[in-house]
Amino acid sequence: MDNDVPATAWPPPWRAEVTDLHWERIQLVIGLRFVDEAFPSAEAELLLHRGERHEPLLARPAASSSEPSQDARSRLVRFNVFAGSDQMPLAPGRWHLAVREPGGEESRHVIVPEAAADSALTTPEPPRDFPFGSGLYQVQPEVVPGRRVAIVISLWRSVGSRANPFRRAVRGWRDLRRRVWVSTFRAIVEVLQRLPRGKPVIVFTSDSRIDYGGNLKLIRDRMLERQLDRRFRLRGIFKPSVRGRRSLGERLRLVWLLARADVILVDDYQPAIYNVPPRRGLRIIQLWHAWGAFKTVGYSRIGKPGGLSPFATIHKNYSFATVSSQHEVPFYAEAFGLPEERVVPTGTPRMDEFLDAGRQRESRERALRDIPAAEGRRVILFAPTFRGAGARSARYPMQLLDLAALH
């Protein structure tokens, strides 16, 4: 097994006690305290490494380590096992924890000293199972005294279905139809991308709006204010009905615009965008309609009912995604399956409206006209989101909210 790579293949290991080991959504948090007189520098990188030539997965500082450690020997890091160097889940096998100094090419493994045998964190950790539609992805941390700290990943895929033959046939037909549609779409877009290009094109698009609104509208308005429409062709395509489907003409126009775009600005989930072939110079920017990291979406829901497959590719072709602050970068990177370097804390455009003093004054006056009893009182707005099986059945259980107790 690759847990016993010949000693000549690696420099002598670092010895460290594992002081913390827990999950934060789909990220594994590991705390270490190096016990030898010499220990890695503060700039050293921690990584997961499989074999000797495999591209390693770098760790990130754990979100819970808001206070810098007073102990120079300690580290608290996190690994997103579903976002390897290729933005895909780590391959099955045993991944060892290793340390690499800045500028160095060699890594040194981390082992648990024999003296730590009585530590609670050297007992076998239960594996974490992440079921998805066609199988199971399992992650098993290994912390064994005298051995390398490792993470063992197993993958099982279902080889058949217990569904009746009719359901299997229907599912197979749907899958075939989707593959044909995606292949045709990509082929047409690739042909259109090769046509001669003129003035750069910026496309604003949404699958949940019938016209410009939210972040898209504010950015477009600012571009017009700065007369950027003289340098770029600004185009928008939305849906005549949020719940309906585009007409054949609108679908063809969508294909044309996505193929001719130099920049695509989107603020929601839009399947067509995830099938646009990469082209040099094309930038796809996700503005996302919500701000704040208060619920799990996208890949953060792997293993939960209705969650994405770990091997899905949606969201992952964004050139950049914007968020409202630096604190939200790791959460949205996780949700979109992106490297954190491609999640940019620019601020949320539509937040500007809430900070406009004139708009605040006008809105307050309008609210007091509608609710005169609010004059001189503290007013709390409770505006919850809602969820359900679909837009028509979505609801919020207001009966569970005890207003009297809150008051």
Side-chain angles (χ1 to χ4, degrees):
M1 297 179 66
D2 59 358
N3 191 51
D4 298 313
V5 177
T8 55
W10 292 85
W14 294 107
R15 298 196 311 151
E17 297 173 344
V18 177
T19 58
D20 194 356
L21 189 62
H22 70 275
W23 287 91
E24 292 181 359
R25 300 167 310 282
I26 61 171
Q27 304 210 40
L28 182 63
V29 176
I30 301 177
L32 297 173
R33 186 178 186 279
F34 295 94
V35 298
D36 292 321
E37 182 177 347
F39 52 90
S41 68
E43 294 76 26
E45 298 174 323
L46 273 80
L47 49 91
L48 291 177
H49 210 293
R50 187 169 68 98
E52 298 183 63
R53 295 180 298 275
H54 196 279
E55 183 74 16
L57 173 65
L58 292 177
R60 298 282 185 176
S64 57
S65 60
S66 56
E67 294 293 333
S69 173
Q70 299 299 317
D71 185 355
R73 298 175 179 270
S74 298
R75 305 286 189 277
L76 188 63
V77 296
R78 56 185 168 84
F79 293 94
N80 184 350
V81 297
F82 293 106
S85 58
D86 56 357
Q87 292 179 251
M88 285 289 150
L90 297 185
R94 179 173 279 102
W95 292 74
H96 298 105
L97 187 62
V99 180
R100 183 171 61 195
E101 290 289 350
E105 296 183 359
E106 291 185 325
S107 303
R108 295 174 63 175
H109 281 137
V110 177
I111 67 169
V112 178
E114 295 283 357
D118 297 329
S119 170
L121 289 180
T122 61
T123 58
E125 287 290 319
R128 175 81 182 272
D129 292 341
F130 296 92
F132 59 99
S134 59
L136 177 71
Y137 189 92
Q138 187 182 80
V139 183
Q140 168 74 72
E142 275 192 354
V143 181
V144 181
R147 299 186 68 181
R148 297 172 177 139
V149 178
I151 297 173
V152 180
I153 293 178
S154 305
L155 176 65
W156 291 275
R157 292 185 182 273
S158 57
V159 295
S161 172
R162 295 182 180 179
N164 63 51
F166 176 74
R167 289 185 177 178
R168 288 203 302 269
V170 170
R171 189 180 299 116
W173 165 249
R174 288 175 178 171
D175 291 343
L176 176 61
R177 185 175 62 179
R178 171 170 174 74
R179 287 197 297 270
V180 170
W181 182 90
V182 170
S183 299
T184 304
F185 174 88
R186 291 178 64 91
I188 294 173
V189 171
E190 286 180 342
V191 170
L192 296 177
Q193 285 177 337
R194 296 190 183 101
L195 297 178
R197 314 190 70 84
K199 186 185 295 186
V201 177
I202 299 177
V203 173
F204 299 78
T205 183
S206 171
D207 254 13
S208 57
R209 298 184 186 277
I210 61 175
D211 203 349
Y212 288 98
N215 294 328
L216 295 174
K217 182 179 185 303
L218 287 167
I219 289 179
R220 179 176 179 271
D221 289 349
R222 183 58 61 87
M223 286 183 173
L224 293 174
E225 178 184 315
R226 297 174 59 187
Q227 299 183 340
L228 292 178
D229 53 321
R230 296 182 178 180
R231 293 172 48 197
F232 304 94
R233 285 181 289 174
L234 308 183
R235 299 291 183 265
I237 182 164
F238 303 94
K239 290 177 66 177
S241 170
V242 171
R243 295 182 181 178
R245 295 185 176 183
R246 289 186 173 92
S247 65
L248 177 60
E250 283 294 294
R251 292 184 187 185
L252 294 175
R253 182 169 178 263
L254 176 64
V255 172
W256 171 259
L257 288 178
L258 295 183
R260 304 305 293 163
D262 296 277
V263 177
I264 300 173
L265 297 174
V266 61
D267 74 342
D268 58 2
Y269 169 82
Q270 190 165 349
I273 287 178
Y274 309 129
N275 296 309
V276 173
R279 177 179 66 79
R280 184 177 180 180
L282 172 63
R283 285 177 290 176
I284 302 174
I285 301 175
Q286 174 60 263
L287 304 172
W288 205 241
H289 54 278
W291 71 78
F294 301 109
K295 62 183 180 183
T296 53
V297 298
Y299 294 97
S300 295
R301 293 188 55 80
I302 290 176
K304 296 183 178 181
L308 290 174
S309 163
F311 300 93
T313 57
I314 69 170
H315 297 305
K316 293 182 179 180
N317 66 339
Y318 302 147
S319 306
F320 300 101
T322 63
V323 293
S324 57
S325 77
Q326 182 65 42
H327 300 290
E328 294 181 0
V329 168
F331 302 106
Y332 278 90
E334 175 186 298
F336 293 148
L338 296 175
E340 294 186 12
E341 295 74 18
R342 283 158 57 182
V343 180
V344 188
T346 59
T348 303
R350 66 191 183 100
M351 192 64 183
D352 291 355
E353 293 184 332
F354 292 91
L355 302 177
D356 182 84
R359 184 180 184 275
Q360 289 177 357
R361 183 173 57 256
E362 294 172 3
S363 299
R364 179 174 179 80
E365 293 172 354
R366 186 167 62 251
L368 290 176
R369 286 197 300 269
D370 294 339
I371 315 173
E375 182 69 51
R377 306 285 294 275
R378 174 179 291 179
V379 178
I380 299 175
L381 171 66
F382 178 68
T385 185
F386 53 87
R387 285 294 179 267
R392 292 182 176 86
S393 63
R395 64 186 183 87
Y396 186 87
M398 292 297 296
Q399 71 276 10
L400 299 182
L401 186 64
D402 191 338
L403 293 173
L406 288 174
H407 185 269

